[in-house]
Amino acid sequence: MDTTPSSSDFIRETITEDLQAGRVSQVVTRFPPEPNGYLHIGHAKSIYINFGVADEYSGKTNLRFDDTNPLKEDSEYVNAIKEDVAWLGFEWDGLFFASDYFEEMYNRALLLINKGKAYVDDQSADQVRETRGTLTEPGQNSPYRDRTVEENLNLFERMRRGEFGDGQKVLRAKIDMASPNLNMRDPVLYRISHAVHHNTGDKWCIYPMYAYAHPLEDAIEGVTHSLCTLEFKDQRPLYDWVVRECEMPHVPHQYEFGRLNLSNTVMSKRYLKKLVDEKLVDGWDDPRMPTISGLRRRGFTPESIRSFVKELGITVAGGEVDYKLLEHHVRQDLNLRAPRTMAVIRPLKLVITNYPEGQVETLDVKINPEVPEMGMAQVRFSREVYIEQEDFMEVPPPKYHRLYPGNEVRLKDAYFVKCTDVIKDADGNVVEVHCTYDPETKSGSGFTGRKVKGTIHWVSCESAIPAEIRLYEPMLQEDADNALPFDERMNPDSLKVEQGYIGIDIKDAQPQEKFQFVRQGFFNVDPKDTTPDKKVFNLIVSLKSSFKIEQPNTKG
RNA sequence: UGCCGAAUGGUGUAAUGGUAGCACGACUGACUCUGAAUCAGUUAGUCUAGGUUCGAAUCCUAGUUCGGCAGCCA
């Protein structure tokens, strides 16, 4: 895959040392998503780190579903996650579920109880919270903290048998209610939840908490380096406590890296789910979503996502990456891979008054000038063509090289045309532009008589194929205050739908095929809404442009 | 006023006691049948104050700022 060496970082340094010192013989990592939503670009970083680092050291990586909370999890998410990881280009060694380990986890809990390291607490959730203390004050011991081993064993077994209702009892670790690390103040290990689990059905009514389950999962699978994001940093002592006190034969270690934050991007699974549930977007794969499936449908390539996250590196410093960097990577990838085509997004009819009526020419055009091997395609040219509305202005601003009355431009791959007339409707809107063309200026004829500053794209009216073109902007407003809740930052213009035209050269385009609409951007054939009768194109990313119209842009 | 962690151009990231570099962005210019791409260039940085050292982004001390942590979520 991506074989260029990555620079060193604290994780790779640790692994190198562990290998050299013989502490581990083979690197084993895992990517442990909870199947409670779809993966997003932030997960792509974690996936890249876990799979990529292991791969560099000829190690193994498991895909493990951290499914310890039946209330939020669903097999729909399991399938989506598997598809996304595979699409990104990673192959897992083992495919596991935390729920496969429930029996072993239960037995280890019994061990903890027998050692006097865990107890059943009858306090309510509220009481537990109230007695946990605060950031500056220690907590208080539970009145049930000193139950006998026998009593704890009996109670815990009855919890499992379903003798108690949700929330009536929990199993807690007995550590230190005065610890400055809140995670060590007798954390809950098991809670009661009479819920159907996507994998184990109704076999269990007690479920282990993440802090207890995760280290055991790692230990069971022989994970050597458990790589997670920074918010778990404070749990490290508890992680080590669980592995040690449960007397796991294999001892994994946890290392934390900074998660990815992207500018103007919702990276909260919870909020993304809300957008989906409230139908504010067209599902998890809405092209505006930062989900892997959304990016895929939008038209991003796995290669571009990989090279993007690779460039981020592995650090612990927090920050926010400009989404322009992601755009750069996809442009760079698609520039060499995407066929060029002329498509008109907002059409304006241009009539060539001195071109013979009824005449149609077939022109050969390069599919990708950057990559001659991609060959040639054919397009049609006739007396009437559609051009882009923004390529004509009746009153041009400074440095406007496109069409305006009296100005001559090239119709790309065809002829020079000079604007002679403007047709307007009753409201004064420009509805048609009239030009004359010069037959001597045909593309490829070698004409050098004069030059024009502008070249514009077009589609021949007689064979133009209507297409729906969807233009996207970030879901969050560019200049909104980051402190504001997402609801107040949503960009009302994140989706704009246009009815445009494509040429016959891409009439057979298939879902997920990507093109560069010349002078405009890269587009993907939408796989969901495209029908045999009508193609839908998603804007992946626009082309950069160094031309900015100065002052108010009142079209036409 | 608890614990943990982090601070290098606008953004991300290198430099592991020895010339502060790379990428993105922005801005110039060249080229151009894509105002793209490409090429050339410009811009701009070690949080602060002390200390150690021939020499500090790097080590030490203090401070400042930012982030994470008080789910029976993960």
Side-chain angles (χ1 to χ4, degrees):
Chain A
M1 183 181 301
D2 213 346
T3 51
T4 53
S6 300
S7 65
S8 187
D9 52 73
F10 67 101
I11 286 177
R12 281 183 256 250
E13 279 169 17
T14 301
I15 292 176
T16 301
E17 286 168 17
D18 288 344
L19 252 14
Q20 281 170 354
R23 283 190 290 270
V24 304
S25 54
Q26 186 186 37
V27 176
V28 179
T29 62
R30 97 275 91 111
F31 174 62
E34 183 190 15
N36 66 343
Y38 280 51
L39 262 25
H40 56 58
I41 183 77
H43 294 106
K45 177 179 179 182
S46 180
I47 291 169
Y48 175 79
I49 290 174
N50 276 290
F51 282 88
V53 167
D55 196 51
E56 281 172 38
Y57 291 89
S58 304
K60 293 183 184 303
T61 304
N62 297 329
L63 173 59
R64 182 179 67 226
F65 290 95
D66 215 342
D67 54 350
T68 57
N69 184 355
L71 264 18
K72 294 186 175 176
E73 295 151 9
D74 193 286
S75 49
E76 175 201 346
Y77 301 129
V78 171
N79 295 328
I81 289 168
K82 283 158 70 173
E83 183 184 359
D84 288 346
V85 173
W87 178 77
L88 280 171
F90 298 96
E91 292 177 35
W92 49 85
D93 288 280
L95 176 65
F96 301 117
F97 291 85
S99 51
D100 289 339
Y101 312 140
F102 281 172
E103 192 67 46
E104 162 131 31
M105 290 174 183
Y106 177 80
N107 289 329
R108 297 287 168 176
L110 256 21
L111 172 64
L112 250 23
I113 293 171
N114 274 306
K115 292 167 72 173
K117 298 284 187 179
Y119 62 97
V120 173
D121 195 346
D122 294 0
Q123 291 184 112
S124 68
D126 284 343
Q127 288 172 310
V128 169
R129 191 182 318 114
E130 283 160 17
T131 55
R132 188 161 18 233
T134 68
L135 294 177
T136 52
E137 302 158 23
Q140 300 138 37
N141 286 172
S142 164
Y144 303 96
R145 198 173 196 260
D146 295 317
R147 293 219 247 230
T148 63
V149 169
E150 291 67 32
E151 191 180 4
N152 281 319
L153 246 17
N154 173 272
L155 255 16
F156 189 52
E157 282 163 6
R158 290 168 60 198
M159 279 169 63
R160 176 181 183 170
R161 283 203 298 270
E163 292 188 20
F164 308 109
D166 292 1
Q168 283 189 357
K169 288 183 167 37
V170 289
L171 182 73
R172 286 231 256 173
K174 190 191 282 191
I175 305 179
D176 177 9
M177 287 306 291
S179 172
N181 181 342
L182 292 287
N183 296 111
M184 301 300 271
R185 319 241 262 226
D186 289 11
V188 172
L189 267 21
Y190 271 89
R191 78 283 212 181
I192 297 171
S193 179
H194 292 267
V196 177
H197 185 279
H198 79 98
N199 194 29
T200 60
D202 58 3
K203 182 178 179 191
W204 294 88
C205 62
I206 57 171
Y207 292 91
M209 300 289 291
Y210 167 89
Y212 173 69
H214 206 86
L216 296 183
E217 295 157 22
D218 288 340
I220 291 167
E221 290 175 18
V223 167
T224 55
H225 302 265
S226 186
L227 312 178
C228 62
T229 46
L230 239 33
E231 66 267 30
F232 297 105
K233 177 81 176 174
D234 293 338
Q235 302 221 11
R236 188 138 107 179
L238 179 55
Y239 182 100
D240 293 336
W241 183 94
V242 170
V243 172
R244 185 176 66 249
E245 296 300 342
C246 287
E247 301 175 17
M248 301 304 286
H250 173 80
V251 180
H253 293 280
Q254 175 182 299
Y255 303 91
E256 310 85 11
F257 58 87
R259 73 184 316 154
L260 168 63
N261 296 307
L262 252 192
S263 60
N264 299 109
T265 305
V266 178
M267 212 74 99
S268 148
K269 243 193 202 178
R270 203 188 118 270
Y271 195 74
L272 292 176
K273 185 171 191 303
K274 183 184 165 191
L275 293 174
V276 173
D277 290 344
E278 295 181 1
K279 302 202 186 307
L280 266 20
V281 294
D282 180 30
W284 287 96
D285 65 350
D286 185 300
R288 290 168 293 180
M289 294 279 272
T291 51
I292 303 301
S293 56
L295 292 167
R296 175 167 61 234
R297 183 174 166 200
R298 175 88 172 253
F300 281 77
T301 59
E303 290 83 357
S304 65
I305 294 173
R306 266 190 259 130
S307 65
F308 167 67
V309 295
K310 176 176 181 175
E311 185 178 349
L312 303 177
I314 307 175
T315 65
V316 291
E320 191 176 74
V321 178
D322 195 331
Y323 72 91
K324 283 187 168 68
L325 186 61
L326 210 207
E327 293 190 328
H328 167 257
H329 280 271
V330 73
R331 279 194 196 101
Q332 189 175 250
D333 185 29
L334 257 17
N335 184 42
L336 295 177
R337 307 208 305 179
R340 270 52 169 172
T341 189
M342 292 194 286
V344 172
I345 297 174
R346 297 182 178 96
L348 172 64
K349 186 177 278 188
L350 182 153
V351 179
I352 304 165
T353 51
N354 62 337
Y355 192 89
E357 259 180 89
Q359 179 172 314
V360 176
E361 287 182 75
T362 299
L363 307 172
D364 290 318
V365 301
K366 290 178 181 138
I367 289 179
N368 186 337
E370 308 262 339
V371 190
E373 308 86 75
M374 287 175 79
M376 307 292 282
Q378 293 190 318
V379 300
R380 290 217 249 168
F381 183 75
S382 65
R383 189 171 188 268
E384 296 188 349
V385 300
Y386 294 114
I387 64 169
E388 208 67 54
Q389 282 175 18
E390 65 175 28
D391 284 340
F392 174 82
M393 285 185 117
E394 192 173 15
V395 182
K399 295 183 187 166
Y400 187 77
H401 297 160
R402 283 108 99 145
L403 206 56
Y404 52 86
N407 192 42
E408 188 172 45
V409 299
R410 177 186 289 283
L411 292 179
K412 187 172 161 57
D413 297 319
Y415 301 92
F416 284 10
V417 292
K418 186 180 217 168
C419 177
T420 55
D421 222 345
V422 182
I423 312 296
K424 297 182 187 177
D425 65 12
D427 299 325
N429 299 310
V430 176
V431 292
E432 207 171 284
V433 174
H434 287 190
C435 291
T436 55
Y437 88 118
D438 180 349
E440 302 220 337
T441 59
K442 184 171 183 177
S443 186
S445 68
F447 174 82
T448 54
R450 61 188 185 276
K451 290 192 178 284
V452 288
K453 281 195 169 168
T455 298
I456 65 174
H457 61 275
W458 51 273
V459 173
S460 173
C461 293
E462 49 72 44
S463 56
I465 303 167
E468 178 171 320
I469 297 163
R470 297 177 180 170
L471 305 177
Y472 301 103
E473 288 180 14
M475 263 199 299
L476 297 180
Q477 292 170 25
E478 299 269 5
D479 43 14
D481 180 359
N482 269 17
L484 255 32
F486 290 130
D487 285 324
E488 295 171 34
R489 287 200 277 155
M490 297 306 284
N491 176 4
D493 297 321
S494 60
L495 167 65
K496 278 185 188 148
V497 179
E498 303 288 348
Q499 305 301 328
Y501 293 101
I502 59 173
I504 54 166
D505 53 315
I506 62 165
K507 69 179 191 313
D508 297 321
Q510 297 301 303
Q512 290 297 98
E513 259 198 87
K514 292 150 188 63
F515 299 92
Q516 184 195 96
F517 287 1
V518 161
R519 301 207 306 130
Q520 303 188 99
F522 292 99
F523 288 80
N524 185 46
V525 180
D526 188 277
K528 211 164 161 181
D529 295 337
T530 290
T531 66
D533 296 332
K534 187 175 194 184
K535 292 189 202 316
V536 175
F537 289 87
N538 296 322
L539 171 67
I540 305 167
V541 63
S542 61
L543 254 30
K544 292 204 294 184
S545 173
S546 59
F547 174 67
K548 280 146 195 125
I549 291 177
E550 298 162 19
Q551 291 310 312
N553 171 14
T554 38
K555 204 163 35 198

